[in-house]
Amino acid sequence: MANKFKSGSAVKGGYYFNAIKWHVEPIAKDGDRLPEGKGEWMKVPTVVALALIPMLGLTFLMFLPLIGFVIFARALLSPIVNMFHRGATELASTVSPGWQPGEAHFTGKPAEGAGTEEKGPTGAEARLDALEKEIGDKRKS
């Protein structure tokens, strides 16, 4: 199992591979530091580094044209996709249901005369009225 090192760490001489950057860094002597940046570095044997470097380059050369075609297609299709997305959003806002999450439905019919009774003042309203009268009296005097 290979040891992993943080960027900027002082390490022994050898070859170190960063999978995030796809980079192999040679360290000439003990105590030199790995380059700064994101990702962890893994010490690899010299034979593996010599095989890994051409494979990384070949992979880059193979996928570079593909990446260019993908970016070009995305640039061409982006305005069309945005036009349909905008239309779909407007359509979805007009046909959305009128219900609210958390509302109670299917609870049966309301009882006869439910909600029609008149309610008198609550205790809090009576206290507020008394407080209002007291403040009015103090302002007059």
Side-chain angles (χ1 to χ4, degrees), residues 67-131:
I67 292 169
F69 288 126
V70 168
I71 291 173
F72 180 70
R74 186 173 179 175
L76 288 179
L77 296 176
S78 179
I80 297 168
V81 170
N82 287 339
M83 179 180 65
F84 283 114
H85 177 70
R86 195 172 330 125
T89 303
E90 290 172 4
L91 179 64
S93 67
T94 60
V95 296
S96 63
W99 62 273
Q100 295 292 326
E103 278 186 343
H105 295 282
F106 306 117
T107 58
K109 292 183 179 179
E112 291 292 325
T116 58
E117 68 273 354
E118 291 187 25
K119 297 180 181 176
T122 62
E125 290 176 3
R127 285 183 288 178
L128 285 175
D129 290 339
L131 182 61

Side-chain angles (χ1 to χ4, degrees), residues 19-101:
I20 300 292
K21 292 177 160 183
W22 280 36
H23 179 68
V24 176
E25 180 72 25
I27 301 295
K29 59 184 177 178
D30 291 352
D32 283 350
R33 296 193 172 272
L34 291 170
E36 293 292 332
K38 62 181 179 177
E40 293 182 332
W41 294 85
M42 183 173 38
K43 184 170 176 61
V44 293
T46 304
V47 175
V48 173
L50 291 175
L52 190 62
I53 291 171
M55 287 185 353
L56 292 175
L58 182 62
T59 306
F60 178 74
L61 288 176
M62 284 178 15
F63 287 109
L64 183 63
L66 177 66
I67 292 169
F69 288 126
V70 168
I71 291 173
F72 180 70
R74 186 173 179 175
L76 288 179
L77 296 176
S78 179
I80 297 168
V81 170
N82 287 339
M83 179 180 65
F84 283 114
H85 177 70
R86 195 172 330 125
T89 303
E90 290 172 4
L91 179 64
S93 67
T94 60
V95 296
S96 63
W99 62 273
Q100 295 292 326

